[in-house]
Coordinates of all heavy atoms in Angstrom, one line a residue:
L1 N 10.4 3.8 -0.7 CA 11.3 2.7 -0.4 C 10.6 1.4 -0.3 O 11.3 0.3 -0.2 CB 12.1 3.0 0.8 CG 12.9 4.3 0.9 CD1 13.5 4.6 2.2 CD2 14.0 4.3 -0.2
G2 N 9.3 1.4 -0.2 CA 8.6 0.1 0.1 C 8.7 -0.9 -1.0 O 8.7 -0.6 -2.2
A3 N 8.7 -2.2 -0.5 CA 8.8 -3.3 -1.5 C 7.5 -3.5 -2.3 O 7.6 -3.8 -3.5 CB 9.1 -4.6 -0.7
I4 N 6.3 -3.3 -1.7 CA 5.1 -3.5 -2.4 C 4.9 -2.4 -3.4 O 4.5 -2.8 -4.6 CB 3.9 -3.5 -1.3 CG1 4.1 -4.8 -0.4 CG2 2.6 -3.5 -2.0 CD1 3.0 -4.9 0.6
P5 N 5.0 -1.1 -3.2 CA 4.9 -0.2 -4.3 C 5.9 -0.4 -5.4 O 5.6 -0.2 -6.6 CB 5.2 1.2 -3.6 CG 4.8 1.0 -2.2 CD 5.2 -0.4 -1.9
R6 N 7.1 -0.9 -5.1 CA 8.1 -1.2 -6.2 C 7.6 -2.3 -7.1 O 7.8 -2.3 -8.3 CB 9.4 -1.5 -5.6 CG 10.2 -0.3 -5.1 CD 11.6 -0.7 -4.5 NE 12.4 0.5 -4.2 CZ 13.2 1.1 -5.1 NH1 13.4 0.6 -6.3 NH2 13.9 2.1 -4.7
L7 N 7.0 -3.4 -6.4 CA 6.5 -4.5 -7.2 C 5.3 -4.1 -8.1 O 5.2 -4.5 -9.2 CB 6.1 -5.6 -6.2 CG 7.2 -6.4 -5.5 CD1 6.6 -7.3 -4.5 CD2 8.1 -7.1 -6.5
L8 N 4.5 -3.2 -7.5 CA 3.4 -2.7 -8.3 C 3.8 -1.8 -9.5 O 3.2 -1.8 -10.5 CB 2.4 -2.0 -7.4 CG 1.6 -2.8 -6.3 CD1 0.8 -1.9 -5.5 CD2 0.8 -3.9 -7.0
D9 N 4.9 -1.1 -9.3 CA 5.4 -0.3 -10.4 C 5.8 -1.1 -11.6 O 5.7 -0.6 -12.7 CB 6.6 0.5 -9.9 CG 6.2 1.7 -9.0 OD1 5.0 2.1 -9.1 OD2 7.0 2.2 -8.2
H10 N 6.3 -2.3 -11.3 CA 6.7 -3.2 -12.4 C 5.5 -3.6 -13.3 O 5.7 -4.0 -14.5 CB 7.4 -4.4 -11.9 CG 8.8 -4.1 -11.3 ND1 9.8 -3.5 -12.1 CD2 9.3 -4.3 -10.1 CE1 10.9 -3.4 -11.3 NE2 10.6 -3.9 -10.1
V11 N 4.3 -3.6 -12.8 CA 3.1 -3.9 -13.6 C 2.3 -2.7 -13.9 O 1.1 -2.8 -14.3 CB 2.3 -5.0 -12.8 CG1 3.0 -6.3 -12.7 CG2 1.8 -4.4 -11.5
G12 N 2.9 -1.5 -13.8 CA 2.3 -0.3 -14.2 C 1.2 0.3 -13.2 O 0.4 1.1 -13.6
I13 N 1.3 -0.1 -12.0 CA 0.3 0.4 -11.0 C 1.1 1.2 -10.0 O 2.1 0.8 -9.4 CB -0.4 -0.8 -10.2 CG1 -1.1 -1.7 -11.2 CG2 -1.3 -0.3 -9.1 CD1 -1.7 -2.9 -10.6
S14 N 0.6 2.5 -9.8 CA 1.2 3.4 -8.9 C 0.2 3.8 -7.8 O -0.8 4.4 -8.1 CB 1.7 4.6 -9.6 OG 2.3 5.6 -8.7
I15 N 0.5 3.5 -6.6 CA -0.4 3.8 -5.5 C 0.4 4.4 -4.3 O 1.4 3.8 -3.9 CB -1.2 2.5 -5.0 CG1 -2.0 1.9 -6.1 CG2 -2.1 2.9 -3.8 CD1 -2.7 0.6 -5.7
N16 N -0.1 5.5 -3.8 CA 0.5 6.1 -2.6 C -0.4 5.6 -1.4 O -1.5 6.2 -1.2 CB 0.5 7.6 -2.7 CG 1.2 8.2 -1.5 OD1 1.6 7.5 -0.5 ND2 1.4 9.5 -1.5
F17 N 0.0 4.5 -0.8 CA -0.9 3.9 0.2 C -1.2 4.8 1.4 O -2.3 4.7 2.0 CB -0.3 2.6 0.7 CG -0.2 1.5 -0.3 CD1 0.9 1.3 -1.0 CD2 -1.4 0.7 -0.4 CE1 0.9 0.2 -2.0 CE2 -1.4 -0.3 -1.3 CZ -0.2 -0.6 -2.1
F18 N -0.4 5.7 1.7 CA -0.6 6.6 2.8 C -0.8 8.0 2.4 O -0.7 9.0 3.2 CB 0.6 6.5 3.8 CG 0.8 5.1 4.3 CD1 2.1 4.5 4.2 CD2 -0.2 4.4 5.0 CE1 2.3 3.2 4.7 CE2 0.0 3.2 5.4 CZ 1.2 2.5 5.3
G19 N -1.2 8.2 1.2 CA -1.6 9.5 0.6 C -3.0 9.9 0.9 O -3.8 9.0 1.5
S20 N -3.5 11.0 0.5 CA -4.8 11.5 0.8 C -5.8 10.6 0.0 O -5.6 10.3 -1.1 CB -5.0 12.9 0.3 OG -6.3 13.4 0.5
G21 N -6.8 10.1 0.7 CA -7.8 9.3 0.2 C -7.6 7.8 0.3 O -8.5 7.0 0.2
N22 N -6.3 7.4 0.6 CA -5.9 6.0 0.8 C -5.4 5.7 2.2 O -5.4 4.5 2.5 CB -4.8 5.7 -0.2 CG -5.2 5.8 -1.7 OD1 -6.3 5.6 -2.0 ND2 -4.3 6.2 -2.5
A23 N -5.1 6.7 2.9 CA -4.4 6.4 4.2 C -5.3 5.6 5.2 O -4.8 4.6 5.7 CB -3.9 7.7 4.9
L24 N -6.5 6.0 5.4 CA -7.4 5.4 6.3 C -7.7 4.0 5.9 O -7.8 3.0 6.7 CB -8.7 6.2 6.6 CG -9.6 5.7 7.7 CD1 -8.9 5.8 9.0 CD2 -10.9 6.5 7.7
L25 N -7.9 3.8 4.5 CA -8.2 2.5 4.0 C -7.0 1.6 4.2 O -7.2 0.4 4.5 CB -8.5 2.6 2.5 CG -9.0 1.3 1.8 CD1 -10.2 0.8 2.5 CD2 -9.2 1.6 0.3
S26 N -5.8 2.1 4.0 CA -4.6 1.3 4.2 C -4.4 0.9 5.7 O -4.1 -0.3 6.0 CB -3.3 2.1 3.8 OG -3.4 2.4 2.4
I27 N -4.7 1.8 6.6 CA -4.7 1.5 8.1 C -5.7 0.4 8.4 O -5.4 -0.6 9.1 CB -4.9 2.7 8.9 CG1 -3.8 3.8 8.7 CG2 -5.0 2.4 10.4 CD1 -2.5 3.4 9.2
A28 N -6.9 0.5 7.8 CA -7.9 -0.6 8.0 C -7.5 -1.9 7.4 O -7.7 -2.9 8.1 CB -9.2 -0.1 7.4
A29 N -6.8 -1.9 6.3 CA -6.3 -3.1 5.7 C -5.2 -3.8 6.5 O -5.2 -5.0 6.7 CB -5.7 -2.8 4.3
I30 N -4.4 -3.0 7.2 CA -3.4 -3.5 8.1 C -4.1 -4.2 9.3 O -3.7 -5.3 9.7 CB -2.4 -2.4 8.6 CG1 -1.6 -1.9 7.4 CG2 -1.5 -2.9 9.7 CD1 -0.8 -0.6 7.7
D31 N -5.1 -3.5 9.8 CA -5.9 -4.1 10.9 C -6.5 -5.4 10.5 O -6.5 -6.4 11.3 CB -6.9 -3.1 11.4 CG -7.6 -3.6 12.7 OD1 -7.0 -3.3 13.8 OD2 -8.7 -4.2 12.6
V32 N -7.0 -5.5 9.3 CA -7.6 -6.7 8.7 C -6.6 -7.8 8.7 O -6.9 -9.0 9.0 CB -8.3 -6.5 7.4 CG1 -8.7 -7.8 6.7 CG2 -9.5 -5.5 7.5
W33 N -5.4 -7.5 8.2 CA -4.3 -8.5 8.1 C -4.0 -9.1 9.5 O -3.8 -10.3 9.6 CB -3.1 -7.8 7.5 CG -1.9 -8.8 7.4 CD1 -1.6 -9.7 6.4 CD2 -0.9 -9.0 8.4 NE1 -0.5 -10.4 6.7 CE2 0.0 -10.0 7.9 CE3 -0.6 -8.4 9.6 CZ2 1.1 -10.4 8.6 CZ3 0.5 -8.8 10.3 CH2 1.4 -9.8 9.8
Q34 N -4.0 -8.2 10.5 CA -3.6 -8.7 11.8 C -4.7 -9.4 12.6 O -4.4 -10.4 13.3 CB -3.0 -7.6 12.7 CG -2.6 -8.0 14.1 CD -1.7 -7.0 14.8 OE1 -1.8 -5.8 14.6 NE2 -0.8 -7.5 15.7

């Protein structure tokens, strides 16, 4: 349902941000944003 994955789908990029291998990196990126 996320807006960012939907936008990436339009340019042919598919990423499961909270899937295996990406989840911790995504959490770190959120911390970087804040």
